[in-house]
Amino acid sequence: MTRFAIDAATALRMVREDPPLPDGVQLVGPTVLRSDVLAALYRDVRAGVLSPAEGRHLRDRLAELKVRLLGDRVSRARAWQLAADRGWAEIGPAEYLAVAVLQADVLVTEDAFLRAAAEGLIPVVGFADLLAG
């Protein structure tokens, strides 16, 4: 079984596109992932990009997404240390990195900041690689 750590943008794409995942794929992410995706959906509804009905539908799809969300003491401590070591003003990106490093085989992201931050810590792949397993 391959564990893929996903970021919020990947989760959002998953709920929008609903692609089938290959057998043996397990998704993991930090507990903040759900809030980050909800915030993005809410922004899109407020901005008129999505109708309220579309927003609710995607919100419900997020609840159905089979992703193990982790926010244990070890993950939080690792995120804190990663952010502190890099001098980051925000801990959010470090939460994604921490879960990836501690619980996954690869990190799935298209985000340039996360890709660069993951260098030397964990392999990074794109969305197409997730779908290929």
Side-chain angles (χ1 to χ4, degrees):
M1 179 171 298
T2 303
R3 283 189 172 180
F4 291 84
I6 61 172
D7 66 356
T10 301
L12 188 54
R13 190 166 175 189
M14 296 283 300
V15 300
R16 284 186 168 144
E17 298 178 17
D18 194 23
L21 289 177
D23 292 337
V25 167
Q26 183 179 17
L27 304 177
V28 297
T31 54
V32 72
L33 180 142
R34 182 174 288 131
S35 293
D36 288 347
V37 174
L38 285 173
L41 289 172
Y42 186 74
R43 278 192 305 271
D44 284 351
V45 169
R46 297 267 305 161
V49 174
L50 294 172
S51 72
E54 291 168 322
R56 286 189 303 272
H57 171 73
L58 293 175
R59 180 198 64 205
D60 292 344
R61 283 277 308 121
L62 175 62
E64 297 166 1
L65 184 63
K66 293 186 190 292
V67 56
R68 183 173 175 218
L69 300 177
L70 302 158
D72 59 277
R73 181 179 288 196
V74 173
S75 297
R76 291 189 313 264
R78 185 65 184 264
W80 186 283
Q81 194 61 52
L82 285 166
D85 289 348
R86 287 158 176 74
W88 293 344
E90 303 274 333
I91 198 160
E95 292 188 72
Y96 289 94
L97 280 179
V99 167
V101 169
L102 293 169
Q103 297 288 335
D105 301 305
V106 296
L107 171 63
V108 182
T109 185
E110 302 293 339
D111 182 87
F113 182 83
L114 269 179
R115 281 182 167 276
E119 192 170 321
L121 294 174
I122 187 160
V124 178
V125 299
F127 191 76
D129 298 304
L130 168 62
L131 300 184

